[in-house]
């Protein structure tokens, strides 16, 4: 996946501009930057949920598995039901590997509504494994995970990279992954000069 | 697609899923009408087709604000939009699930409630036929309204205001079929109009719903 000179906006306000990077198979790219800089917006743009202001994104959208802040779980379905739903949406049927990777076996028949925040997060991340897609886009994946679960997650990503996949991860902690760090801080969009305002308004 | 339909049906039947809400509302409305208009059976049998149709329409309206809002709140709508399913088929399946859990029970309950309103004997089959043809349009139009208002806090009021005018043609021709049927008159013209409206909405609105959903997810 190659991104050239990308500019993105949130709610009509430009947040990042002049962003170029490439995501190689087998590598992770760690996205860093202060809160509100536009990391989530960048991930949503790359996942195809919103159009970019300018620039080019090469690499098919249907290669991407996206995980947002919320896990997309249904509280009245069990862990297995939630996971097998996403597996059949993505046309894969092996959920056992995902259950094993995130130690969800003993929770398999619990309703997702009865899980703790960290357990829900683990279930949400296990979803990535059943998508079977090569590019993972993860938005703050380690929120509410304990140290063990962070390790589980890092292992799952490492496994995924080992199989030739790639991952773009917005996170503030060090996961010890093989890959570069992309700091988007310097790409903050400059505010438009004030005399442009009338033109913009018209 | 089947997986999404099965999940939505399962969610509707599980605790708190809202199945039966429309049905209960329909029941309450039709039970209360004879109390409010008085017990003259001739008056009741005149207004029965219209009351049953209006009750079914409002019952349908009641469950619309949950149709996409729940999926939007827990983030699964975003994830569905990035999944291999086209959004057009997602909204079609959502409308179908809504019809199966709300529209179809209303159709099946209508003849029993017709007895309470002293619906004339020839009207029963026409009532069921007209509701069977009309309720799919209500689900599809409702999904369009839900797609327009997804992401708005307390969007239910706006949703009703947007959807009600779109329901009017279905109501007019649907209730007309039931009224003419009950009076023993010829029903072909309104029946064809009703079928035409339903066919057009089912064919066209999923594309519009998917398009507004794409914009609303930005």
């Amino acid at each position: 996946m190659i991104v050239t000179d990308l500019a993105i906006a949130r709610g009509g306000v430009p947040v990042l501009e002049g962003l170029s990077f490439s995501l190689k198979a087998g590598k992770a790219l760690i996205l860093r930057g202060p809160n509100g800089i536009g990391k989530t917006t960048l991930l949503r743009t790359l996942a195809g949920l919103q159009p970019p202001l300018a620039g080019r994104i090469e690499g098919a959208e249907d290669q991407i598995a996206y995980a947002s802040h919320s896990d997309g779980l249904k509280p009245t379905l069990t862990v297995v039901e939630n996971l097998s739903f996403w597996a059949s949406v993505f046309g894969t049927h092996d959920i056992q590997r995902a259950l094993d990777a995130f130690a969800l076996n003993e929770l398999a028949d619990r309703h997702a509504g009865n899980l703790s925040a960290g357990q829900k997060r683990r279930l949400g991340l296990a979803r990535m494994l059943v998508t079977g897609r090569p590019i993972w886009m993860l938005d703050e994946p380690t929120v509410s995970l304990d140290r063990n679960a962070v390790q589980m997650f890092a292992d799952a990503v490492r496994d995924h990279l080992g199989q030739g996949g790639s991952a773009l991860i917005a996170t503030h902690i060090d996961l010890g992954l093989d890959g570069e760090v992309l700091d988007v801080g310097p790409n903050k969009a400059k505010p438009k000069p004030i005399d442009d305002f009338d033109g913009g308004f018209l | 697609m089947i997986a999404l339909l099965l999940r939505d049906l399962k969610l509707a039947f599980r605790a708190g899923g809202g199945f039966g809400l429309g049905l209960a509302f329909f029941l309450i409305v039709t039970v209360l009408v004879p109390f409010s208009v008085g017990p003259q059976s001739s008056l009741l049998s005149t207004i029965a087709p219209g009351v049953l149709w209006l009750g079914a329409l409002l019952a349908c309206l009641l469950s619309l604000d949950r149709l996409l809002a729940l999926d939007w709140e827990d983030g699964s709508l975003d994830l569905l939009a990035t999944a291999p399913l086209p959004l057009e088929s997602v909204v079609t399946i959502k409308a179908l699930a809504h019809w199966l859990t709300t529209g179809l029970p209303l159709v099946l309950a209508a003849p029993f409630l017709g007895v309470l309103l002293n619906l004339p004997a020839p009207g029963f089959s026409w009532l069921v036929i007209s509701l069977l043809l009309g309720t799919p349009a209500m689900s599809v139009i409702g999904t369009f309204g839900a797609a327009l208002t997804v992401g708005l806090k307390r969007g239910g009021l706006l949703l009703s205001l947007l959807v009600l005018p779109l329901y009017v043609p279905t109501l007019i021709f649907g209730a007309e079929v039931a009224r003419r049927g009950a009076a023993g008159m010829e029903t072909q013209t309104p029946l064809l109009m009703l079928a035409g409206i339903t066919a057009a909405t089912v064919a066209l609105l999923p594309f519009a719903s998917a398009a507004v959903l794409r914009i609303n997810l930005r």
Side-chain angles (χ1 to χ4, degrees):
Chain A
M1 179 170 208
I2 302 161
V3 170
T4 29
D5 209 18
L6 186 73
I8 53 172
R10 181 180 52 225
V13 181
V15 285
L16 290 175
E17 61 188 14
L19 200 59
S20 302
F21 62 89
S22 64
L23 193 57
K24 298 177 200 74
K27 294 283 178 195
L29 193 59
I30 307 294
L31 201 56
R32 287 200 207 276
N35 292 141
I37 190 86
K39 296 187 293 294
T40 299
T41 314
L42 174 62
L43 289 177
R44 287 179 67 87
T45 310
L46 295 176
L49 285 168
Q50 59 180 70
L53 276 185
R56 269 200 332 176
I57 304 169
E58 284 163 55
E61 261 169 32
D62 59 10
Q63 308 258 296
I64 296 170
Y66 168 66
S68 60
H69 286 284
S70 38
D71 297 313
L73 302 176
K74 292 294 173 190
T76 51
L77 296 184
T78 65
V79 169
V80 165
E81 282 171 332
N82 268 302
L83 214 49
S84 25
F85 164 66
W86 288 111
S88 39
V89 164
F90 283 89
T92 59
H93 295 284
D94 176 29
I95 63 163
Q96 195 50 50
R97 200 167 65 92
L99 288 175
D100 291 339
F102 287 93
L104 291 164
N105 275 309
E106 66 234 50
L107 303 169
D109 293 322
R110 290 265 287 277
H111 284 173
N114 296 332
L115 299 181
S116 78
Q119 289 169 333
K120 278 185 194 153
R121 194 76 247 208
R122 262 153 63 195
L123 179 52
L125 293 171
R127 193 183 64 86
M128 303 303 282
L129 282 172
V130 303
T131 60
R133 289 188 160 183
I135 305 175
W136 287 5
M137 304 237 159
L138 298 145
D139 199 353
E140 307 270 4
T142 55
V143 170
S144 67
L145 290 183
D146 63 20
R147 198 179 302 161
N148 270 339
V150 169
Q151 207 48 52
M152 263 182 236
F153 166 67
D155 288 342
V157 175
R158 219 169 281 131
D159 216 32
H160 177 66
L161 298 180
Q163 291 167 13
S166 51
L168 181 58
I169 305 172
T171 183
H172 298 286
I173 66 165
D174 185 18
L175 291 164
L177 295 170
D178 174 23
E180 295 161 38
V181 169
L182 174 71
D183 188 355
V184 293
N187 295 98
K188 189 173 169 40
K190 322 250 174 327
K192 279 194 184 144
I194 198 79
D195 49 324
D196 253 20
F197 178 79
D198 286 349
F201 182 73
L202 293 170
Chain B
M1 279 169 82
I2 308 283
L4 181 60
L5 180 65
L6 290 179
R7 184 198 71 158
D8 275 9
L9 294 181
K10 211 184 275 176
L11 285 173
F13 288 112
R14 293 264 162 103
F19 174 74
L21 176 74
L23 201 57
F25 178 83
F26 191 33
L27 180 76
I28 291 167
V29 167
T30 38
V31 166
L32 290 183
V33 164
F35 292 118
S36 64
V37 301
Q40 307 102 303
S41 52
S42 63
L43 175 63
L44 277 180
S45 60
T46 319
I47 62 168
V51 168
L52 287 166
W53 249 91
L54 185 61
L57 184 142
L58 293 176
C60 233
L61 197 63
L62 202 60
S63 52
L64 287 181
D65 64 331
R66 296 167 58 94
L67 207 132
L68 292 169
L70 290 179
D71 276 351
W72 186 80
E73 277 162 19
D74 65 19
S76 41
L77 205 54
D78 277 350
L79 303 180
L80 277 174
T82 57
L85 289 178
L87 264 184
E88 284 80 3
S89 71
V90 170
V91 292
T92 311
I93 294 291
K94 286 266 161 201
L96 178 62
H98 179 259
W99 183 73
L100 287 174
T101 54
T102 309
L104 191 60
L106 294 177
V107 177
L108 297 178
F112 299 99
L113 298 175
V115 176
L116 293 179
L117 295 178
N118 199 25
L119 186 72
F124 284 90
S125 55
W126 288 112
L127 178 69
V128 172
I129 290 170
S130 63
L131 281 174
L132 208 52
L133 271 176
T135 44
M138 295 203 273
S139 289
V140 173
I141 294 170
T143 310
F144 175 60
L148 275 172
T149 54
V150 76
L152 295 177
K153 296 264 176 284
R154 315 295 303 161
L157 174 67
L158 186 60
L159 173 61
S160 316
L161 285 175
L162 286 170
V163 161
L164 272 179
L166 300 175
Y167 273 1
V168 168
T170 304
L171 177 65
I172 290 175
F173 292 109
E176 184 67 4
V177 171
R179 189 187 67 79
R180 288 197 186 186
M185 290 151 65
E186 178 273 331
T187 55
Q188 195 188 12
T189 313
L191 194 66
L192 287 178
M193 289 299 288
L194 179 66
I197 290 164
T198 302
T201 51
V202 171
L204 298 175
L205 275 185
F207 296 99
S209 310
V212 292
L213 206 51
R214 273 195 196 97
I215 293 169
N216 265 340
L217 284 179
R218 277 180 195 174

